[in-house]
Amino acid sequence: PVLQELHWLPIKQRIEFKTCLLTYKSLKNDQPIYLRKILSFPSHTIHTRSTNSNALLPHSATTSMGKKSFSVAAPRLWNSLPSDTRLVPSKIITTFPTKLKTHLFKQAFHLYPPKPGFSGHIKCNSVDVPQRGAPESTCNVYEVFEDH
C-alpha cells in the first residue's frame, strides 16, 4: 500500500498517535493542567510488577460517544502500549513519538508476529508458513488471516 511505502499511518492509527502523544505530554506537564487532572494512576497499597508499569486508571463510559472522550480513550490507548514505550524517560522528548509511531505502524500493517494461540494461517514475506510461524529474525512482513 502507498501509506506503507510512504511510512504514513492510516487515519485510525493517526488519531491514536495524537491521543497518546497528548497523553504523554500531559503526564510530563507539557500540556494544560486540566488534561493532567483527567488522567490518574491507580493507587497501590502494595508493590507489584504492575506498580512500575506506568498504566493509567481506566474510566468507564456508558455511551458510544463517551468512549471517544479523552478521559476514556486516553487511558485505554495508553495502557495498550508496550511498557517500554510508556516508560520512555521525559528527558528525551523525541524518543516517545518515534517509538509510538513505530508501534502503531507495525500494528496497522501487521508487521508484528501473531500472538500465541492464534488460529488461522500466516504468510511471512508473502510465503505461507506453518502454524507456529517463521522465526522473527527472518520475517519482516507478516500477513495474518483469520480462519472463519
Side-chain angles (χ1 to χ4, degrees), residues 40-42 44 50-58 75 78-79 86-87:
S40 58
F41 293 99
H44 294 284
S50 64
T51 307
N52 298 328
S53 69
N54 199 17
L56 292 171
L57 188 64
W78 182 259
N79 293 342
R86 287 195 314 255
L87 296 172

Side-chain angles (χ1 to χ4, degrees), residues 35-86:
L35 288 178
R36 176 63 183 93
K37 288 181 180 180
I38 292 173
L39 306 170
S40 58
F41 293 99
S43 58
H44 294 284
T45 53
I46 57 172
H47 290 286
T48 62
R49 282 183 282 161
S50 64
T51 307
N52 298 328
S53 69
N54 199 17
L56 292 171
L57 188 64
H59 295 270
S60 60
T62 56
T63 64
S64 61
M65 283 303 284
K67 291 177 185 173
K68 296 175 185 177
S69 70
F70 184 78
S71 63
V72 176
R76 180 182 49 78
L77 290 171
W78 182 259
N79 293 342
S80 71
L81 296 176
S83 59
D84 67 317
T85 304
R86 287 195 314 255

Side-chain angles (χ1 to χ4, degrees), residues 22-33 36 90:
L22 191 58
T23 303
Y24 177 79
K25 288 181 176 182
S26 299
L27 294 173
K28 303 303 178 192
N29 297 322
D30 293 331
Q31 292 295 318
I33 194 78
R36 176 63 183 93
S90 59

